[in-house]
Amino acid sequence: MLKIVKDSVLKVSRSLGYDIVPLREMRERDFALHLRELLTRLDIDCVLDVGANVGQYRDFLRDRVFYEGTIVSFEPVARHVELLQARAREDANWHIEGYALGARDEQMAINVMVSDQFSSFLEPDHRQVQEFSELNVPCAKEAVTVRTLDVVLPMLRERLGFDRPYLKLDTQGFDIEVLRGAGDSLQTVRALQTEASVLGIYKGMPGYLDTLRHLDGLGFDITGMYAVSRDAALRLVEFDCVMVNRRVVAS
């Protein structure tokens, strides 16, 4: 009964042009509104979800952004791939690719962490941020396939029939490596988001200034920045940076 009442209230409020947002979801609200407008303005017909974990970003797109188009999720960790494939049976526009993306086609060992959202090709570094020291710890290593976006994107476009992709990157310190394997493909990417690091939690991961300079050089301009995590002193650890392709703006 409570759910029926809540759904009715939400329906009425939206019909009047208002959203009722629980306090716990306020942090994501502005991000969702921004993405909703951006994906609509750019007529995005596919979201490339690189670093899918167990599908949290897909849920965010469907439930908060209200994006109903094609999603292609890339995830290399075997148990996550199985879970994603099972979940995708209930969403005909959700496609699972069971490998990682990087700078070249190869086999690599990924660190599967105690909290698997931290799983990364890089080694943890707890010197700047202590809060994740018990979660961001390897419990296993897994050999996975790495491919480049330049190789797989033309095949995906032919199979799924999309033309205007949005690229989401969340690879725990490996985003620039993905971009290095996406040189030609980036011309067709209308906008993207990357998780930029302010306080490094992995050894050798690029800092946010390196990431922003790299993407500026590739022709992308910032449209929004949204906090992902903070430490106990409220220092920003990571943020999502949303960027638009300069060529799209100029056309």
Side-chain angles (χ1 to χ4, degrees):
M1 177 62 73
L2 180 59
K3 184 179 185 306
I4 295 173
V5 172
K6 288 170 63 177
D7 289 346
S8 297
V9 171
L10 287 172
K11 186 175 180 180
V12 171
S13 68
R14 284 172 181 163
S15 71
L16 296 173
Y18 295 92
D19 268 335
I20 297 176
V21 182
L23 289 175
R24 66 181 180 277
E25 297 177 6
M26 284 295 293
R27 192 181 70 173
E28 291 184 342
R29 180 177 179 274
D30 286 347
F31 189 17
L33 290 172
H34 181 69
L35 273 189
R36 193 183 310 169
E37 182 172 0
L38 186 71
L39 298 185
T40 300
R41 283 195 183 197
L42 298 179
D43 198 20
I44 297 299
D45 60 357
C46 178
V47 173
L48 305 170
D49 170 23
V50 183
N53 194 247
V54 295
Q56 299 95 319
Y57 191 71
R58 175 267 176 194
D59 297 341
F60 175 65
L61 289 175
R62 295 291 194 238
D63 299 339
R64 304 296 306 280
V65 181
F66 305 136
Y67 171 75
E68 298 179 350
T70 299
I71 300 172
V72 181
S73 290
F74 300 84
E75 172 58 42
V77 177
R79 69 171 183 262
H80 296 162
V81 175
E82 291 180 8
L83 177 60
L84 289 167
Q85 289 172 338
R87 293 193 60 205
R89 293 189 191 109
E90 299 180 1
D91 185 342
N93 283 332
W94 188 17
H95 307 273
I96 311 303
E97 299 293 311
Y99 48 85
L101 293 179
R104 63 190 64 85
D105 287 0
E106 59 183 327
Q107 295 289 313
M108 291 184 68
I110 192 168
N111 295 300
V112 181
M113 307 301 186
V114 170
S115 178
D116 54 27
Q117 292 185 40
F118 289 100
S119 295
S120 174
F121 290 113
L122 305 180
E123 298 291 331
D125 184 349
H126 304 304
R127 289 174 298 174
Q128 294 191 80
V129 181
Q130 296 294 319
E131 282 80 358
F132 305 142
S133 60
E134 295 182 4
L135 302 175
N136 189 19
V137 178
C139 61
K141 280 187 179 287
E142 187 173 320
V144 300
T145 297
V146 181
R147 306 185 72 183
T148 68
L149 194 60
D150 271 346
V151 169
V152 303
L153 187 59
M155 295 184 290
L156 291 170
R157 290 180 69 180
E158 182 177 358
R159 184 175 50 143
L160 301 175
F162 61 85
D163 294 308
R164 300 172 300 279
Y166 176 86
L167 176 62
K168 167 263 184 183
L169 299 168
D170 183 3
T171 61
Q172 302 302 307
F174 210 65
D175 289 9
I176 287 183
E177 293 303 301
V178 177
L179 292 168
R180 286 181 176 137
D184 295 334
S185 303
L186 287 178
Q187 296 181 17
T188 68
V189 170
R190 295 203 153 197
L192 59 77
Q193 74 181 72
T194 182
E195 192 171 81
S197 169
V198 180
L199 300 175
I201 60 174
Y202 301 97
K203 295 176 182 177
M205 76 181 303
Y208 72 99
L209 292 176
D210 300 314
T211 298
L212 296 182
R213 287 191 196 101
H214 188 82
L215 282 160
D216 178 73
L218 293 173
F220 287 84
D221 293 325
I222 298 170
T223 68
M225 293 182 283
Y226 301 91
V228 172
S229 59
R230 300 178 187 273
D231 71 0
L234 295 182
R235 296 182 303 171
L236 191 60
V237 177
E238 296 170 317
F239 65 91
D240 279 321
C241 183
V242 182
M243 309 185 81
V244 65
N245 191 327
R246 230 170 271 145
R247 301 179 193 90
V248 175
V249 176
S251 63

PDB file of all heavy atoms in Angstrom, residues 32-46 65-67 164-166 190-191 222-223 242-245 247-251:
ATOM      1  N   ALA A  32      22.086  13.765 -12.519  1.00  0.00           N
ATOM      2  CA  ALA A  32      21.072  13.125 -13.355  1.00  0.00           C
ATOM      3  C   ALA A  32      20.387  14.139 -14.257  1.00  0.00           C
ATOM      4  O   ALA A  32      20.164  13.880 -15.452  1.00  0.00           O
ATOM      5  CB  ALA A  32      20.042  12.413 -12.481  1.00  0.00           C
ATOM      6  N   LEU A  33      20.040  15.309 -13.723  1.00  0.00           N
ATOM      7  CA  LEU A  33      19.386  16.339 -14.521  1.00  0.00           C
ATOM      8  C   LEU A  33      20.305  16.832 -15.652  1.00  0.00           C
ATOM      9  O   LEU A  33      19.865  17.048 -16.778  1.00  0.00           O
ATOM     10  CB  LEU A  33      18.969  17.513 -13.638  1.00  0.00           C
ATOM     11  CG  LEU A  33      17.816  17.242 -12.664  1.00  0.00           C
ATOM     12  CD1 LEU A  33      17.634  18.423 -11.722  1.00  0.00           C
ATOM     13  CD2 LEU A  33      16.524  16.944 -13.413  1.00  0.00           C
ATOM     14  N   HIS A  34      21.578  16.990 -15.319  1.00  0.00           N
ATOM     15  CA  HIS A  34      22.536  17.444 -16.329  1.00  0.00           C
ATOM     16  C   HIS A  34      22.667  16.414 -17.449  1.00  0.00           C
ATOM     17  O   HIS A  34      22.631  16.763 -18.640  1.00  0.00           O
ATOM     18  CB  HIS A  34      23.890  17.694 -15.682  1.00  0.00           C
ATOM     19  CG  HIS A  34      24.935  18.179 -16.636  1.00  0.00           C
ATOM     20  ND1 HIS A  34      24.895  19.421 -17.217  1.00  0.00           N
ATOM     21  CD2 HIS A  34      26.045  17.575 -17.141  1.00  0.00           C
ATOM     22  CE1 HIS A  34      25.944  19.575 -18.022  1.00  0.00           C
ATOM     23  NE2 HIS A  34      26.646  18.468 -17.999  1.00  0.00           N
ATOM     24  N   LEU A  35      22.809  15.146 -17.072  1.00  0.00           N
ATOM     25  CA  LEU A  35      22.941  14.094 -18.083  1.00  0.00           C
ATOM     26  C   LEU A  35      21.677  13.975 -18.924  1.00  0.00           C
ATOM     27  O   LEU A  35      21.755  13.772 -20.140  1.00  0.00           O
ATOM     28  CB  LEU A  35      23.247  12.749 -17.417  1.00  0.00           C
ATOM     29  CG  LEU A  35      24.708  12.425 -17.130  1.00  0.00           C
ATOM     30  CD1 LEU A  35      24.830  10.979 -16.672  1.00  0.00           C
ATOM     31  CD2 LEU A  35      25.599  12.677 -18.327  1.00  0.00           C
ATOM     32  N   ARG A  36      20.527  14.114 -18.285  1.00  0.00           N
ATOM     33  CA  ARG A  36      19.264  14.020 -19.022  1.00  0.00           C
ATOM     34  C   ARG A  36      19.209  15.082 -20.122  1.00  0.00           C
ATOM     35  O   ARG A  36      18.863  14.783 -21.279  1.00  0.00           O
ATOM     36  CB  ARG A  36      18.089  14.188 -18.060  1.00  0.00           C
ATOM     37  CG  ARG A  36      16.731  13.813 -18.632  1.00  0.00           C
ATOM     38  CD  ARG A  36      15.620  14.075 -17.622  1.00  0.00           C
ATOM     39  NE  ARG A  36      15.908  13.493 -16.320  1.00  0.00           N
ATOM     40  CZ  ARG A  36      15.205  13.751 -15.218  1.00  0.00           C
ATOM     41  NH1 ARG A  36      14.174  14.596 -15.267  1.00  0.00           N
ATOM     42  NH2 ARG A  36      15.515  13.185 -14.069  1.00  0.00           N
ATOM     43  N   GLU A  37      19.593  16.307 -19.773  1.00  0.00           N
ATOM     44  CA  GLU A  37      19.570  17.385 -20.767  1.00  0.00           C
ATOM     45  C   GLU A  37      20.641  17.170 -21.830  1.00  0.00           C
ATOM     46  O   GLU A  37      20.398  17.366 -23.029  1.00  0.00           O
ATOM     47  CB  GLU A  37      19.771  18.738 -20.091  1.00  0.00           C
ATOM     48  CG  GLU A  37      19.703  19.902 -21.064  1.00  0.00           C
ATOM     49  CD  GLU A  37      19.716  21.258 -20.377  1.00  0.00           C
ATOM     50  OE1 GLU A  37      19.769  21.300 -19.142  1.00  0.00           O
ATOM     51  OE2 GLU A  37      19.667  22.273 -21.099  1.00  0.00           O
ATOM     52  N   LEU A  38      21.833  16.754 -21.416  1.00  0.00           N
ATOM     53  CA  LEU A  38      22.929  16.568 -22.357  1.00  0.00           C
ATOM     54  C   LEU A  38      22.633  15.461 -23.360  1.00  0.00           C
ATOM     55  O   LEU A  38      22.812  15.637 -24.575  1.00  0.00           O
ATOM     56  CB  LEU A  38      24.219  16.248 -21.598  1.00  0.00           C
ATOM     57  CG  LEU A  38      25.488  16.162 -22.440  1.00  0.00           C
ATOM     58  CD1 LEU A  38      25.903  17.539 -22.940  1.00  0.00           C
ATOM     59  CD2 LEU A  38      26.626  15.524 -21.642  1.00  0.00           C
ATOM     60  N   LEU A  39      22.165  14.305 -22.865  1.00  0.00           N
ATOM     61  CA  LEU A  39      21.869  13.190 -23.766  1.00  0.00           C
ATOM     62  C   LEU A  39      20.755  13.546 -24.746  1.00  0.00           C
ATOM     63  O   LEU A  39      20.767  13.114 -25.901  1.00  0.00           O
ATOM     64  CB  LEU A  39      21.489  11.947 -22.965  1.00  0.00           C
ATOM     65  CG  LEU A  39      22.557  11.380 -22.015  1.00  0.00           C
ATOM     66  CD1 LEU A  39      22.071  10.080 -21.389  1.00  0.00           C
ATOM     67  CD2 LEU A  39      23.879  11.171 -22.701  1.00  0.00           C
ATOM     68  N   THR A  40      19.805  14.352 -24.275  1.00  0.00           N
ATOM     69  CA  THR A  40      18.702  14.776 -25.149  1.00  0.00           C
ATOM     70  C   THR A  40      19.189  15.770 -26.201  1.00  0.00           C
ATOM     71  O   THR A  40      18.904  15.624 -27.393  1.00  0.00           O
ATOM     72  CB  THR A  40      17.579  15.402 -24.310  1.00  0.00           C
ATOM     73  OG1 THR A  40      17.091  14.432 -23.375  1.00  0.00           O
ATOM     74  CG2 THR A  40      16.426  15.859 -25.205  1.00  0.00           C
ATOM     75  N   ARG A  41      19.938  16.782 -25.769  1.00  0.00           N
ATOM     76  CA  ARG A  41      20.422  17.807 -26.700  1.00  0.00           C
ATOM     77  C   ARG A  41      21.307  17.218 -27.790  1.00  0.00           C
ATOM     78  O   ARG A  41      21.263  17.647 -28.947  1.00  0.00           O
ATOM     79  CB  ARG A  41      21.216  18.872 -25.942  1.00  0.00           C
ATOM     80  CG  ARG A  41      20.374  19.868 -25.185  1.00  0.00           C
ATOM     81  CD  ARG A  41      21.222  21.056 -24.786  1.00  0.00           C
ATOM     82  NE  ARG A  41      20.467  22.009 -23.993  1.00  0.00           N
ATOM     83  CZ  ARG A  41      20.852  23.253 -23.783  1.00  0.00           C
ATOM     84  NH1 ARG A  41      21.986  23.684 -24.325  1.00  0.00           N
ATOM     85  NH2 ARG A  41      20.130  24.064 -23.057  1.00  0.00           N
ATOM     86  N   LEU A  42      22.139  16.245 -27.415  1.00  0.00           N
ATOM     87  CA  LEU A  42      23.080  15.657 -28.367  1.00  0.00           C
ATOM     88  C   LEU A  42      22.487  14.472 -29.114  1.00  0.00           C
ATOM     89  O   LEU A  42      23.171  13.858 -29.933  1.00  0.00           O
ATOM     90  CB  LEU A  42      24.353  15.231 -27.636  1.00  0.00           C
ATOM     91  CG  LEU A  42      25.141  16.354 -26.951  1.00  0.00           C
ATOM     92  CD1 LEU A  42      26.363  15.790 -26.238  1.00  0.00           C
ATOM     93  CD2 LEU A  42      25.549  17.425 -27.952  1.00  0.00           C
ATOM     94  N   ASP A  43      21.219  14.156 -28.802  1.00  0.00           N
ATOM     95  CA  ASP A  43      20.523  13.060 -29.475  1.00  0.00           C
ATOM     96  C   ASP A  43      21.318  11.756 -29.372  1.00  0.00           C
ATOM     97  O   ASP A  43      21.479  11.013 -30.343  1.00  0.00           O
ATOM     98  CB  ASP A  43      20.278  13.414 -30.946  1.00  0.00           C
ATOM     99  CG  ASP A  43      19.211  12.540 -31.589  1.00  0.00           C
ATOM    100  OD1 ASP A  43      18.412  11.942 -30.845  1.00  0.00           O
ATOM    101  OD2 ASP A  43      19.193  12.436 -32.837  1.00  0.00           O
ATOM    102  N   ILE A  44      21.817  11.467 -28.173  1.00  0.00           N
ATOM    103  CA  ILE A  44      22.625  10.264 -27.926  1.00  0.00           C
ATOM    104  C   ILE A  44      21.773   9.021 -28.141  1.00  0.00           C
ATOM    105  O   ILE A  44      20.670   8.907 -27.589  1.00  0.00           O
ATOM    106  CB  ILE A  44      23.198  10.284 -26.496  1.00  0.00           C
ATOM    107  CG1 ILE A  44      24.142  11.476 -26.303  1.00  0.00           C
ATOM    108  CG2 ILE A  44      23.896   8.966 -26.177  1.00  0.00           C
ATOM    109  CD1 ILE A  44      25.348  11.506 -27.199  1.00  0.00           C
ATOM    110  N   ASP A  45      22.284   8.087 -28.935  1.00  0.00           N
ATOM    111  CA  ASP A  45      21.532   6.851 -29.175  1.00  0.00           C
ATOM    112  C   ASP A  45      22.232   5.609 -28.640  1.00  0.00           C
ATOM    113  O   ASP A  45      21.768   4.487 -28.841  1.00  0.00           O
ATOM    114  CB  ASP A  45      21.211   6.682 -30.670  1.00  0.00           C
ATOM    115  CG  ASP A  45      22.442   6.618 -31.558  1.00  0.00           C
ATOM    116  OD1 ASP A  45      23.577   6.766 -31.043  1.00  0.00           O
ATOM    117  OD2 ASP A  45      22.281   6.421 -32.775  1.00  0.00           O
ATOM    118  N   CYS A  46      23.365   5.781 -27.930  1.00  0.00           N
ATOM    119  CA  CYS A  46      24.018   4.652 -27.271  1.00  0.00           C
ATOM    120  C   CYS A  46      24.946   5.179 -26.189  1.00  0.00           C
ATOM    121  O   CYS A  46      25.688   6.147 -26.411  1.00  0.00           O
ATOM    122  CB  CYS A  46      24.826   3.827 -28.275  1.00  0.00           C
ATOM    123  SG  CYS A  46      25.718   2.436 -27.520  1.00  0.00           S
ATOM    124  N   VAL A  65      18.114   9.157 -14.825  1.00  0.00           N
ATOM    125  CA  VAL A  65      18.271   9.984 -16.023  1.00  0.00           C
ATOM    126  C   VAL A  65      17.098   9.783 -16.979  1.00  0.00           C
ATOM    127  O   VAL A  65      16.814  10.639 -17.811  1.00  0.00           O
ATOM    128  CB  VAL A  65      19.617   9.659 -16.722  1.00  0.00           C
ATOM    129  CG1 VAL A  65      19.828  10.520 -17.963  1.00  0.00           C
ATOM    130  CG2 VAL A  65      20.780   9.857 -15.752  1.00  0.00           C
ATOM    131  N   PHE A  66      16.401   8.647 -16.843  1.00  0.00           N
ATOM    132  CA  PHE A  66      15.273   8.269 -17.704  1.00  0.00           C
ATOM    133  C   PHE A  66      15.708   8.076 -19.154  1.00  0.00           C
ATOM    134  O   PHE A  66      14.964   8.381 -20.085  1.00  0.00           O
ATOM    135  CB  PHE A  66      14.123   9.284 -17.616  1.00  0.00           C
ATOM    136  CG  PHE A  66      13.641   9.519 -16.210  1.00  0.00           C
ATOM    137  CD1 PHE A  66      13.376  10.801 -15.761  1.00  0.00           C
ATOM    138  CD2 PHE A  66      13.466   8.460 -15.329  1.00  0.00           C
ATOM    139  CE1 PHE A  66      12.936  11.029 -14.462  1.00  0.00           C
ATOM    140  CE2 PHE A  66      13.031   8.673 -14.029  1.00  0.00           C
ATOM    141  CZ  PHE A  66      12.761   9.948 -13.596  1.00  0.00           C
ATOM    142  N   TYR A  67      16.921   7.578 -19.336  1.00  0.00           N
ATOM    143  CA  TYR A  67      17.425   7.236 -20.663  1.00  0.00           C
ATOM    144  C   TYR A  67      16.933   5.838 -21.016  1.00  0.00           C
ATOM    145  O   TYR A  67      17.113   4.892 -20.245  1.00  0.00           O
ATOM    146  CB  TYR A  67      18.959   7.285 -20.664  1.00  0.00           C
ATOM    147  CG  TYR A  67      19.593   6.741 -21.929  1.00  0.00           C
ATOM    148  CD1 TYR A  67      19.576   7.479 -23.106  1.00  0.00           C
ATOM    149  CD2 TYR A  67      20.206   5.494 -21.940  1.00  0.00           C
ATOM    150  CE1 TYR A  67      20.156   6.988 -24.263  1.00  0.00           C
ATOM    151  CE2 TYR A  67      20.797   5.000 -23.089  1.00  0.00           C
ATOM    152  CZ  TYR A  67      20.766   5.748 -24.245  1.00  0.00           C
ATOM    153  OH  TYR A  67      21.342   5.254 -25.392  1.00  0.00           O
ATOM    154  N   ARG A 164      25.522   7.884 -32.527  1.00  0.00           N
ATOM    155  CA  ARG A 164      25.859   9.050 -31.697  1.00  0.00           C
ATOM    156  C   ARG A 164      26.114   8.613 -30.251  1.00  0.00           C
ATOM    157  O   ARG A 164      25.287   8.825 -29.363  1.00  0.00           O
ATOM    158  CB  ARG A 164      24.720  10.084 -31.770  1.00  0.00           C
ATOM    159  CG  ARG A 164      24.463  10.596 -33.195  1.00  0.00           C
ATOM    160  CD  ARG A 164      23.226  11.461 -33.309  1.00  0.00           C
ATOM    161  NE  ARG A 164      22.006  10.750 -32.905  1.00  0.00           N
ATOM    162  CZ  ARG A 164      21.341   9.911 -33.689  1.00  0.00           C
ATOM    163  NH1 ARG A 164      21.771   9.672 -34.929  1.00  0.00           N
ATOM    164  NH2 ARG A 164      20.246   9.303 -33.258  1.00  0.00           N
ATOM    165  N   PRO A 165      27.286   8.012 -29.987  1.00  0.00           N
ATOM    166  CA  PRO A 165      27.539   7.445 -28.658  1.00  0.00           C
ATOM    167  C   PRO A 165      28.005   8.463 -27.613  1.00  0.00           C
ATOM    168  O   PRO A 165      28.586   9.501 -27.939  1.00  0.00           O
ATOM    169  CB  PRO A 165      28.640   6.421 -28.925  1.00  0.00           C
ATOM    170  CG  PRO A 165      29.381   6.967 -30.106  1.00  0.00           C
ATOM    171  CD  PRO A 165      28.349   7.661 -30.953  1.00  0.00           C
ATOM    172  N   TYR A 166      27.729   8.113 -26.359  1.00  0.00           N
ATOM    173  CA  TYR A 166      28.241   8.795 -25.174  1.00  0.00           C
ATOM    174  C   TYR A 166      29.149   7.800 -24.463  1.00  0.00           C
ATOM    175  O   TYR A 166      28.771   6.640 -24.279  1.00  0.00           O
ATOM    176  CB  TYR A 166      27.083   9.211 -24.269  1.00  0.00           C
ATOM    177  CG  TYR A 166      27.474   9.858 -22.955  1.00  0.00           C
ATOM    178  CD1 TYR A 166      27.707  11.227 -22.876  1.00  0.00           C
ATOM    179  CD2 TYR A 166      27.581   9.102 -21.791  1.00  0.00           C
ATOM    180  CE1 TYR A 166      28.039  11.830 -21.670  1.00  0.00           C
ATOM    181  CE2 TYR A 166      27.917   9.695 -20.577  1.00  0.00           C
ATOM    182  CZ  TYR A 166      28.148  11.055 -20.520  1.00  0.00           C
ATOM    183  OH  TYR A 166      28.481  11.648 -19.338  1.00  0.00           O
ATOM    184  N   ARG A 190      30.147  11.846 -28.992  1.00  0.00           N
ATOM    185  CA  ARG A 190      29.614  13.204 -28.872  1.00  0.00           C
ATOM    186  C   ARG A 190      29.923  13.838 -27.519  1.00  0.00           C
ATOM    187  O   ARG A 190      30.079  15.061 -27.416  1.00  0.00           O
ATOM    188  CB  ARG A 190      28.105  13.192 -29.105  1.00  0.00           C
ATOM    189  CG  ARG A 190      27.734  12.795 -30.527  1.00  0.00           C
ATOM    190  CD  ARG A 190      26.370  13.299 -30.922  1.00  0.00           C
ATOM    191  NE  ARG A 190      26.297  13.471 -32.363  1.00  0.00           N
ATOM    192  CZ  ARG A 190      25.370  14.179 -32.980  1.00  0.00           C
ATOM    193  NH1 ARG A 190      24.438  14.792 -32.284  1.00  0.00           N
ATOM    194  NH2 ARG A 190      25.367  14.290 -34.294  1.00  0.00           N
ATOM    195  N   ALA A 191      29.980  13.025 -26.485  1.00  0.00           N
ATOM    196  CA  ALA A 191      30.310  13.518 -25.154  1.00  0.00           C
ATOM    197  C   ALA A 191      30.794  12.339 -24.335  1.00  0.00           C
ATOM    198  O   ALA A 191      30.624  11.172 -24.719  1.00  0.00           O
ATOM    199  CB  ALA A 191      29.095  14.177 -24.493  1.00  0.00           C
ATOM    200  N   ILE A 222      34.599  20.873 -20.807  1.00  0.00           N
ATOM    201  CA  ILE A 222      33.867  20.493 -19.600  1.00  0.00           C
ATOM    202  C   ILE A 222      32.463  21.084 -19.601  1.00  0.00           C
ATOM    203  O   ILE A 222      32.272  22.269 -19.869  1.00  0.00           O
ATOM    204  CB  ILE A 222      34.617  20.959 -18.341  1.00  0.00           C
ATOM    205  CG1 ILE A 222      35.994  20.284 -18.254  1.00  0.00           C
ATOM    206  CG2 ILE A 222      33.810  20.668 -17.074  1.00  0.00           C
ATOM    207  CD1 ILE A 222      36.880  20.872 -17.168  1.00  0.00           C
ATOM    208  N   THR A 223      31.480  20.246 -19.265  1.00  0.00           N
ATOM    209  CA  THR A 223      30.116  20.737 -19.047  1.00  0.00           C
ATOM    210  C   THR A 223      29.682  20.593 -17.590  1.00  0.00           C
ATOM    211  O   THR A 223      28.729  21.249 -17.171  1.00  0.00           O
ATOM    212  CB  THR A 223      29.095  19.995 -19.933  1.00  0.00           C
ATOM    213  OG1 THR A 223      28.988  18.630 -19.506  1.00  0.00           O
ATOM    214  CG2 THR A 223      29.499  20.043 -21.393  1.00  0.00           C
ATOM    215  N   VAL A 242      32.128  15.566 -16.793  1.00  0.00           N
ATOM    216  CA  VAL A 242      31.360  15.386 -18.029  1.00  0.00           C
ATOM    217  C   VAL A 242      31.876  16.392 -19.057  1.00  0.00           C
ATOM    218  O   VAL A 242      32.062  17.572 -18.756  1.00  0.00           O
ATOM    219  CB  VAL A 242      29.853  15.605 -17.781  1.00  0.00           C
ATOM    220  CG1 VAL A 242      29.064  15.367 -19.062  1.00  0.00           C
ATOM    221  CG2 VAL A 242      29.358  14.680 -16.668  1.00  0.00           C
ATOM    222  N   MET A 243      32.114  15.914 -20.290  1.00  0.00           N
ATOM    223  CA  MET A 243      32.722  16.754 -21.319  1.00  0.00           C
ATOM    224  C   MET A 243      32.028  16.525 -22.656  1.00  0.00           C
ATOM    225  O   MET A 243      31.558  15.428 -22.948  1.00  0.00           O
ATOM    226  CB  MET A 243      34.219  16.446 -21.447  1.00  0.00           C
ATOM    227  CG  MET A 243      34.959  16.463 -20.122  1.00  0.00           C
ATOM    228  SD  MET A 243      36.747  16.251 -20.282  1.00  0.00           S
ATOM    229  CE  MET A 243      37.255  17.914 -20.717  1.00  0.00           C
ATOM    230  N   VAL A 244      31.979  17.594 -23.465  1.00  0.00           N
ATOM    231  CA  VAL A 244      31.348  17.529 -24.771  1.00  0.00           C
ATOM    232  C   VAL A 244      32.417  17.665 -25.851  1.00  0.00           C
ATOM    233  O   VAL A 244      33.406  18.395 -25.681  1.00  0.00           O
ATOM    234  CB  VAL A 244      30.262  18.621 -24.922  1.00  0.00           C
ATOM    235  CG1 VAL A 244      30.874  20.017 -24.891  1.00  0.00           C
ATOM    236  CG2 VAL A 244      29.449  18.417 -26.190  1.00  0.00           C
ATOM    237  N   ASN A 245      32.229  16.962 -26.946  1.00  0.00           N
ATOM    238  CA  ASN A 245      33.150  17.012 -28.076  1.00  0.00           C
ATOM    239  C   ASN A 245      33.053  18.375 -28.764  1.00  0.00           C
ATOM    240  O   ASN A 245      31.982  18.787 -29.193  1.00  0.00           O
ATOM    241  CB  ASN A 245      32.802  15.891 -29.065  1.00  0.00           C
ATOM    242  CG  ASN A 245      33.861  15.688 -30.127  1.00  0.00           C
ATOM    243  OD1 ASN A 245      34.514  16.614 -30.560  1.00  0.00           O
ATOM    244  ND2 ASN A 245      34.006  14.449 -30.558  1.00  0.00           N
ATOM    245  N   ARG A 247      33.912  19.316 -31.601  1.00  0.00           N
ATOM    246  CA  ARG A 247      33.455  19.232 -33.007  1.00  0.00           C
ATOM    247  C   ARG A 247      31.934  19.281 -33.082  1.00  0.00           C
ATOM    248  O   ARG A 247      31.361  19.803 -34.032  1.00  0.00           O
ATOM    249  CB  ARG A 247      33.977  17.946 -33.651  1.00  0.00           C
ATOM    250  CG  ARG A 247      35.482  17.799 -33.677  1.00  0.00           C
ATOM    251  CD  ARG A 247      35.904  16.483 -34.308  1.00  0.00           C
ATOM    252  NE  ARG A 247      37.297  16.180 -34.080  1.00  0.00           N
ATOM    253  CZ  ARG A 247      37.756  15.505 -33.040  1.00  0.00           C
ATOM    254  NH1 ARG A 247      36.917  15.049 -32.128  1.00  0.00           N
ATOM    255  NH2 ARG A 247      39.043  15.278 -32.911  1.00  0.00           N
ATOM    256  N   VAL A 248      31.284  18.672 -32.078  1.00  0.00           N
ATOM    257  CA  VAL A 248      29.820  18.669 -32.055  1.00  0.00           C
ATOM    258  C   VAL A 248      29.300  20.072 -31.816  1.00  0.00           C
ATOM    259  O   VAL A 248      28.323  20.514 -32.456  1.00  0.00           O
ATOM    260  CB  VAL A 248      29.298  17.704 -30.964  1.00  0.00           C
ATOM    261  CG1 VAL A 248      27.788  17.794 -30.856  1.00  0.00           C
ATOM    262  CG2 VAL A 248      29.736  16.278 -31.270  1.00  0.00           C
ATOM    263  N   VAL A 249      29.919  20.802 -30.906  1.00  0.00           N
ATOM    264  CA  VAL A 249      29.495  22.171 -30.605  1.00  0.00           C
ATOM    265  C   VAL A 249      29.666  23.060 -31.821  1.00  0.00           C
ATOM    266  O   VAL A 249      28.820  23.914 -32.116  1.00  0.00           O
ATOM    267  CB  VAL A 249      30.313  22.735 -29.415  1.00  0.00           C
ATOM    268  CG1 VAL A 249      29.957  24.190 -29.167  1.00  0.00           C
ATOM    269  CG2 VAL A 249      30.062  21.893 -28.156  1.00  0.00           C
ATOM    270  N   ALA A 250      30.757  22.845 -32.562  1.00  0.00           N
ATOM    271  CA  ALA A 250      31.063  23.702 -33.701  1.00  0.00           C
ATOM    272  C   ALA A 250      30.200  23.385 -34.926  1.00  0.00           C
ATOM    273  O   ALA A 250      30.055  24.234 -35.814  1.00  0.00           O
ATOM    274  CB  ALA A 250      32.533  23.567 -34.073  1.00  0.00           C
ATOM    275  N   SER A 251      29.651  22.178 -34.976  1.00  0.00           N
ATOM    276  CA  SER A 251      28.892  21.778 -36.180  1.00  0.00           C
ATOM    277  C   SER A 251      27.475  22.338 -36.193  1.00  0.00           C
ATOM    278  O   SER A 251      26.955  22.770 -35.201  1.00  0.00           O
ATOM    279  CB  SER A 251      28.852  20.258 -36.271  1.00  0.00           C
ATOM    280  OG  SER A 251      28.159  19.701 -35.170  1.00  0.00           O
TER     281      SER A 251
END
